Amino acid sequence: MKYEPVIGLEVHAELASATKMFCGCPVVDTTLTEPNTTVCPVCAGMPGTLPVLNQKAVEYGIRAALALECEVQRVSVFARKNYFYPDIPKGYQISQYELPLATNGRLVVDTPQGESVIRVRRAHLEEDTGKLSHIHEGSEDYSLVDLNRAGVPLLEIVSEPDMHSIEEVRGYATSLRAILKEIGVNSGDMEKGVIRFEANVSIRPVGSTELGTRTEIKNLNSFRAMERGILYELDRQAKLLDSGQSVAQETLGWNEAEQKTYSQRSKEDAHDYRYFPEPDLPPLVVEKEWVEEIRATLPELPRTKSLRLQNQFGLNRVDAFKIAAEREFCDFFEACVKAQRIPNTKSVASWLTGELFAWLNLSGKNFVEIKVTPKGLAELIDLVQEGLINQNTAKAVFVKMLESGASAGEIVKAEGLAQTSDGDAIAKMVSEVISAYPEELASYKSGKETLSNWFFGQVMKAASGKANPTVLKSELEKQLQQHKLNS
Ligand code: ADP
Ligand code: MG
Ligand code: ZN
């Protein structure tokens, strides 16, 4: 039986405000900060303390909601989500339930198959929990709690179950992360846990419109883990259905070491949380004027940018999408195009998305740390276009530029890499090589035309690879023709 995947994502994004959601404690990088040092009676859940809403966090939430084309609600209501766990000192989390900050958004995502529209069901504000570390040392078995993260503002963004392939999931997740980064509300650092993805997965027979029973996968720490987890789950569910069994609605964890999901608990229902309106906070009223003020400050978003790169610079969809994903890439691209003496936007795009991205992947370096400036890359591409170096030499020069920070011109000069485009010098080499191989010339003349490639190789060898290949080729063809006519 053929099944269609049905996937919805829940995304928790920390909002990059200076202080926590309901108190004045600073928001810190919890991976670099001594545990439990940014905690006060409010975020530690002491009895008798009261929450005070952080306006900046609300502004960032609205900013994200607008970027996702949501309707921002004039009135939203905070609610208590009650559960007992050591990472939640109050015994409840302040969240939003029936009346969220924003609803009905959409994200247009780019996949190799084209564009898909994924609807955003809702985006609501809530506070983050503390962080537990489970320690197993010999016979000892205990957990530690760090409350630095408790009370950090979060925006939970819930999609409709509109994704039907891993490419759509990848497109949605990467676009969402890029948008939040671009608008300055989240750093996008998945490894630090500032943005976290949970996947809801079900399958149904192709052609069916009903939703199947879903499972929810948690602790997905990277895009790769998310994709593997979803694929694993799709396969597991298909096997269950194929063998006449049914899928149990449950919450699963992803085991990275074993590359499989494991059951954490049977899925709780909303009523298990005993949600009720937060009595210590009034309803949140957001005036239209404020929303419009925030909307006016939104930057050009990645999708608009990608379309502009295609229209303005003639880039293909794939390159445009990659360059538009991060502001730094796009700024670099545009500055490089501007600095070129011989304009060639496609070449800049392919150096950026090809050689540079590959080098970043290999070296593990960050784009913002690179030693090559847009002007530096423009110079390198100009050297290729002028025929001073060939493409292969340029690739090697580029790696040296990235490693040393020296300019293309300096490297080419210091290492004697410049190729000659001097027509007379090349003509001389060609005629010398041809006279050195009379037998080969004879067979060429008698019809073995492919020998011209062999001659090309011989001349290039004589020139130590530094002859301009275009000039060489045309000179060689000319002289070979001459010999043919003379015979
Ligand atoms: P909860 O908050 O209990 O996890 P929601 O109804 O809010 O439940 O749904 C959470 C996410 O699960 C949403 O992203 C939604 O699109 C997705 N979802 C709901 N039903 C299904 C399903 N049958 N298959 C896949 N995803 C689903
Ligand atoms: Mg859920
Ligand atoms: Zn605090």
Side-chain angles (χ1 to χ4, degrees):
M1 179 148 245
K2 281 283 283 167
Y3 300 107
E4 178 187 46
V6 178
I7 301 147
L9 292 186
E10 289 169 90
V11 180
H12 287 87
E14 280 185 10
L15 296 170
S17 55
T19 56
K20 292 187 180 179
M21 189 77 157
F22 300 117
C23 63
C25 290
V27 171
V28 294
D29 181 338
T30 52
T31 63
L32 302 175
T33 310
E34 185 72 16
N36 298 309
T37 51
T38 57
V39 185
C40 73
V42 175
C43 55
M46 294 296 160
T49 58
L50 289 171
V52 178
L53 184 59
N54 177 345
Q55 183 173 346
K56 201 72 190 174
V58 178
E59 179 189 322
Y60 282 175
I62 295 172
R63 212 169 153 70
L66 291 175
L68 297 170
E69 298 181 45
C70 289
E71 294 160 22
V72 175
Q73 300 302 308
R74 201 180 101 83
V75 180
S76 62
V77 169
F78 288 99
R80 285 190 184 179
K81 180 179 183 180
N82 298 280
Y83 63 96
F84 179 77
Y85 208 57
D87 63 3
I88 187 102
K90 293 194 292 293
Y92 59 85
Q93 177 189 33
I94 303 181
S95 180
Q96 294 187 311
Y97 180 54
E98 278 170 343
L99 296 173
L101 177 71
T103 55
N104 291 329
R106 70 206 273 273
L107 188 55
V108 182
V109 309
D110 210 66
T111 71
Q113 289 76 39
E115 284 182 345
S116 317
V117 177
I118 312 299
R119 290 168 300 159
V120 173
R121 181 183 290 177
R122 56 185 275 153
H124 68 252
L125 294 165
E126 61 184 30
E127 56 178 339
D128 209 344
T129 62
K131 209 163 153 183
L132 292 177
S133 312
H134 305 290
I135 314 290
H136 312 282
E137 275 168 0
S139 62
E140 297 219 71
D141 214 354
Y142 57 95
S143 297
L144 297 170
V145 62
D146 176 11
L147 293 181
N148 285 348
R149 204 180 67 179
V152 167
L154 284 181
L155 189 69
E156 174 168 345
I157 302 157
V158 183
S159 84
E160 292 293 345
D162 283 351
M163 287 160 265
H164 303 290
S165 68
I166 212 71
E167 288 78 16
E168 284 183 338
V169 171
R170 189 184 302 149
Y172 178 85
T174 53
S175 293
L176 183 56
R177 177 173 170 275
I179 288 172
L180 298 180
K181 210 172 152 188
E182 183 66 52
I183 63 175
V185 305
N186 184 281
S187 69
D189 256 330
M190 281 181 90
E191 315 79 62
K192 293 193 190 271
V194 302
I195 180 163
R196 309 191 284 271
F197 293 82
E198 284 158 20
N200 289 269
V201 180
S202 69
I203 55 175
R204 62 185 173 197
V206 168
S208 157
T209 52
E210 271 167 54
L211 290 173
T213 305
R214 71 178 148 130
T215 53
E216 179 170 343
I217 320 173
K218 290 188 184 281
N219 58 305
L220 300 167
N221 297 325
S222 64
F223 285 140
R224 214 168 69 167
M226 178 169 71
E227 290 180 19
R228 298 253 170 93
I230 290 171
L231 290 174
Y232 179 89
E233 201 43 32
L234 290 170
D235 186 56
R236 189 186 70 88
Q237 293 184 9
K239 283 183 180 139
L240 280 174
L241 296 192
D242 279 343
S243 64
Q245 293 168 275
S246 59
V247 174
Q249 177 159 331
E250 58 186 344
T251 300
L252 307 169
W254 173 246
N255 184 328
E256 182 66 28
E258 293 179 27
Q259 297 281 305
K260 49 163 109 157
T261 57
Y262 60 93
S263 178
Q264 280 189 335
R265 55 175 189 257
S266 67
K267 174 88 184 124
E268 64 291 327
D269 283 317
H271 63 247
D272 295 325
Y273 289 120
R274 299 294 189 271
Y275 277 104
F276 64 87
E278 169 60 60
D280 291 337
L281 288 165
L284 171 61
V285 178
V286 174
E287 297 299 349
K288 225 180 157 75
E289 292 72 35
W290 192 36
V291 174
E292 292 316 310
E293 256 172 55
I294 297 170
R295 195 195 301 277
T297 66
L298 283 179
E300 185 183 33
L301 296 177
R303 187 177 133 71
T304 321
K305 211 176 247 182
S306 161
L307 294 174
R308 179 168 66 79
L309 291 175
Q310 294 173 54
N311 292 329
Q312 188 179 344
F313 298 105
L315 301 193
N316 67 43
R317 203 169 56 90
V318 176
D319 282 353
F321 180 75
K322 284 187 195 157
I323 294 172
E326 306 253 350
R327 184 188 314 180
E328 289 84 5
F329 300 163
C330 194
D331 289 350
F332 191 100
F333 171 81
E334 292 190 73
C336 187
V337 165
K338 220 178 229 162
Q340 282 191 296
R341 274 183 292 118
I342 310 164
N344 187 340
T345 55
K346 286 186 184 154
S347 174
V348 174
S350 76
W351 274 91
L352 204 57
T353 60
E355 298 308 306
L356 182 54
F357 285 5
W359 184 83
L360 289 173
N361 265 342
L362 268 176
S363 67
K365 290 244 164 46
N366 218 315
F367 186 79
V368 292
E369 308 171 293
I370 61 168
K371 290 180 179 159
V372 174
T373 60
K375 223 171 141 222
L377 177 59
E379 184 199 350
L380 176 71
I381 299 173
D382 279 333
L383 293 182
V384 178
Q385 300 196 90
E386 285 164 341
L388 195 73
I389 51 175
N390 64 33
Q391 189 76 9
N392 276 334
T393 307
K395 285 182 184 173
V397 169
F398 189 46
V399 170
K400 289 186 177 137
M401 290 166 69
L402 286 161
E403 283 164 358
S404 69
S407 79
E410 285 163 0
I411 295 167
V412 167
K413 195 157 169 226
E415 307 198 4
L417 297 172
Q419 64 185 11
T420 178
S421 301
D422 177 345
D424 291 343
I426 290 177
K428 188 158 165 273
M429 282 191 279
V430 169
S431 91
E432 280 168 10
V433 167
I434 292 179
S435 26
Y437 295 102
E439 279 172 30
E440 284 76 5
L441 180 63
S443 17
Y444 173 82
K445 290 203 295 196
S446 65
K448 227 178 146 201
E449 304 254 323
T450 52
L451 272 173
S452 78
N453 291 332
W454 180 84
F455 274 114
F456 180 92
Q458 294 307 309
V459 183
M460 203 43 123
K461 206 159 122 195
S464 318
K466 288 184 214 153
N468 179 321
T470 318
V471 177
L472 196 170
K473 196 157 171 51
S474 81
E475 183 59 37
L476 177 66
E477 293 302 330
K478 196 172 97 192
Q479 293 197 23
L480 287 173
Q481 278 307 314
Q482 210 82 48
H483 280 286
K484 221 174 190 173
L485 292 176
N486 291 346
S487 58

